[in-house]
Amino acid sequence: MKITVDEVKCCGAGQCVLIAPEVFDQRDEDGIVILLDAAPAAEQHAAVREAASVCPAAAIHLGEDA
């Protein structure tokens, strides 16, 4: 799995951080998403998929490893 985030789209809701804190964080000043791990381990894939699906701004994009 390969993750990318669109910081411009991010609205700072923080759902991704609550669901997958090992993969996502937020900037202190504005709450915009920070991607901690662009290629998480397989055991984190379900949480990452859930985080992407609940993102209100659709700022999390998932792809397959090249």
Side-chain angles (χ1 to χ4, degrees), residues 45-64:
H45 289 188
V48 170
R49 284 188 187 95
E50 181 181 355
S53 72
V54 302
C55 178
I60 301 169
H61 305 281
L62 306 180
E64 296 304 317

Side-chain angles (χ1 to χ4, degrees), residues 25-49:
D25 200 355
Q26 290 177 283
R27 295 191 306 223
D28 290 335
E29 62 272 12
D30 57 9
I32 298 300
V33 66
I34 298 169
L35 182 59
L36 300 175
D37 187 354
E43 59 268 10
Q44 295 174 338
H45 289 188
V48 170
R49 284 188 187 95

